[in-house]
Amino acid sequence: MEKAQPPSPWDRAADVVVIGSGAAGLPAAIVAREAGASVIVVEAENHIGGHAMTSGGNLPLGGGTSYQRKYGIEDSPDLLFRDLTDWSVVVPNGFPPYRYNDREIIRAFADNSAAAFEFLLAHGVKMVEKAPDNGSGHEVGISALRTMHCAVMDWPMIQTGKPADPSVRASTSSGNGLMQPLHAAARKAGVEILLEHRMTSIHRESPNAGRVLGIAVNHNGTALNIRAGKAVIIATGGSSGNVNFRRMFDPRLTEEYCGLAGMPWSDQDASGELAATAIGASLWGLFNFSGEFGSGVTKPGAIGCQYNYTNVRWHPGSEVFGQARAIGLKVADWQNLILVNLLGKRFYDECGPQFSYSSYMSVIPYEPYSYLNAKNIDYNPNNFINAALAGIGDGHNGGGPIWAIFDADAVAREKWHPAPPHVDCDAGFFFTADTIGELAQRIVMKFQRVPMPPRNLIDTVARYNSFVDAGKDADFGKESPRYKIEKPPFHAAWATPVVHDTRAGLRINTRCQVVDIKGDVIPGLYCGGESAGGFSMHGLPRAICQGFIAGKNAAG
Ligand SMILES: Cc1cc2nc3c(=O)[nH]c(=O)nc-3n(C[C@H](O)[C@H](O)[C@H](O)COP(=O)(O)OP(=O)(O)OC[C@H]3O[C@@H](n4cnc5c(N)ncnc54)[C@H](O)[C@@H]3O)c2cc1C
């Protein structure tokens, strides 16, 4: 095979090059640097932190952490491993969250989970001073309470541009309280962080053989090459923002699902997965990508804006508000509106739930590894996501936009301000009109692929109002529909599902080394976090823990 020529000369060099400065990247960089390696982190955005910075900072690392011991909670690596590999646990919509977890990868997580937590404490992350709980309902298994919460303290919140109110600084859980101290620790340790350096490819000795040598990056239009003497660590945060990539696993996830949680702070564009597979890496555990677990795809918490994940509201003080464009209207009571598809028809009980997680004590009685667990679950197949993504029978794969329809009385009850900066009128995520028919006609935006027939929306609202009179929703069983939609002006607000986690990615081994399609390690290449596969778990713990493992091994 012809040998690829390494770039000559290299523009920069370090022992370890980390791609991405999020929950996996910064721990990896700090650990590698403290083990004696020189470290460069490249970050595509003009700020650090990735989705981890936007996160709620709820942190279910376990296996016997100091916080678990302090509060008398018994846990061990073996119990954590058992919880996350119990194939028999089934969540209320029938999906088994742990069945497709790769045992080797979970073993490595279980064995390093507590140490990764202590690493955070040692690097300036403060926890809310309370006993671990099952807050945020993470998939951490069901035998022990594990979720701790990163206190925001005095760090500025990227969502608002301001610090939290002093009275709640030590009790507010936030990703800012995780990533800002890690950023300070990385700088203090001597990690070099290059912002606006987007990795575009990975150099290997030859396309499918030999060591990884370094990476190519794009820095504001200039192509640079960075040599990695020992290792490259992919910590690019997943692929859910890349429509073509995610549709390989779930064809329903078409472009109208444009409200990626964590955007516009950072994207999940699959660049790590694409660069690694281009040099022979394998993907892994792909069922987890499209399995309908927990928060993979969610019901929006706010409406009338593109980025409408329930826990992230972008305010005008935020440095990314220009891209977010609106704060959104937070829905307190789903009785205040109806949800319609792009044809103006209801499809669902608006007050109904979305997917639930399997969490602490969710199966009672719980028999580890027993098929009987499935009998002890209250099935509830009714959920927003299945209904919203179901489609309208026009041959299109995605379900199309979902609109929240409400009137002036709902605005008053919710104390909403249906105007900028609360809603995004300019980009077509919010419309207002004096009649229902006119409202349907106004809904023109890039994802509304056919006009909404005014007659449909008029009939839908009239029928719903008749359900309010009757006290019964004859179509979707909404419990005691409470409010008619009758007082102008009427509004249509974007309420399309939010895409959240990536739960499958590159194949790694217990040392977080990337493995190729033949099952062989790619020398010098590591990966952790949402770009790594084999582990169905929401969020921070696996990213932090795998960053911790990858950093240790990459520097070795
Ligand atoms: C709104 C929100 C709330 C959340 N709340 C919680 C929570 O409370 N608890 C929890 O456990 N989890 C939570 N999560 C999930 C958690 O934040 C993520 O799972 C975690 O951050 C993933 O870590 P990561 O390192 O894989 O990716 P990220 O933290 O996203 O970091 C990836 C980084 O790589 C950079 N990057 C990508 N491509 C390139 C490239 N080509 N070149 C250079 N840099 C690149 C990105 O810009 C980004 O900075 C939340 C997520 C969101 C979005």
Side-chain angles (χ1 to χ4, degrees), residues 19-25 42-45 48-52 54-60 136 138 197-199 235-238 261-262 266-267 269 271 309 312 500-501 528-531 538-541 543:
I19 313 166
S21 66
V42 295
E43 168 54 56
E45 304 292 340
I48 65 105
H51 280 199
T54 72
S55 79
N58 304 298
L59 187 63
S136 292
H138 289 287
H197 281 66
R198 181 178 294 277
M199 178 277 301
T236 43
S266 65
D267 197 358
D269 67 358
S271 50
Y309 179 61
V312 182
H500 201 309
D501 300 56
E530 289 198 32
S531 285
H538 170 60
L540 299 170

Side-chain angles (χ1 to χ4, degrees), residues 125-283:
V125 180
K126 304 270 184 253
M127 295 295 144
V128 173
E129 202 46 66
K130 62 176 187 167
D133 55 31
N134 66 336
S136 292
H138 289 287
E139 291 97 331
V140 289
I142 61 178
S143 305
L145 290 167
R146 298 186 170 116
T147 306
M148 290 148 296
H149 306 273
C150 303
V152 70
M153 307 311 285
D154 300 321
W155 297 103
M157 307 264 284
I158 50 115
Q159 294 86 343
T160 59
K162 296 186 225 146
D165 187 300
S167 65
V168 293
R169 64 192 274 281
S171 58
T172 299
S173 181
S174 163
N176 295 273
L178 171 70
M179 297 311 291
Q180 305 274 25
L182 289 183
H183 184 202
R187 297 263 185 209
K188 187 168 166 211
V191 170
E192 188 177 0
I193 301 177
L194 304 178
L195 299 176
E196 295 182 309
H197 281 66
R198 181 178 294 277
M199 178 277 301
T200 51
S201 63
I202 299 173
H203 296 297
R204 191 177 180 184
E205 282 177 317
S206 65
N208 282 300
R211 279 196 75 77
V212 159
L213 302 172
I215 63 170
V217 297
N218 183 309
H219 174 51
N220 296 329
T222 304
L224 300 171
N225 292 297
I226 304 178
R227 186 173 128 76
K230 291 186 172 182
V232 167
I233 301 177
I234 299 170
T236 43
S239 54
S240 295
N242 182 324
V243 175
N244 285 318
F245 195 91
R246 74 190 186 199
R247 290 195 64 208
M248 288 197 285
F249 314 106
D250 189 342
R252 297 173 307 171
L253 295 181
T254 44
E255 52 289 335
E256 65 269 35
Y257 305 107
C258 59
L260 188 69
M263 274 187 88
W265 186 258
S266 65
D267 197 358
Q268 295 182 306
D269 67 358
S271 50
E273 289 82 338
L274 293 169
T277 50
I279 56 162
S282 173
L283 296 172

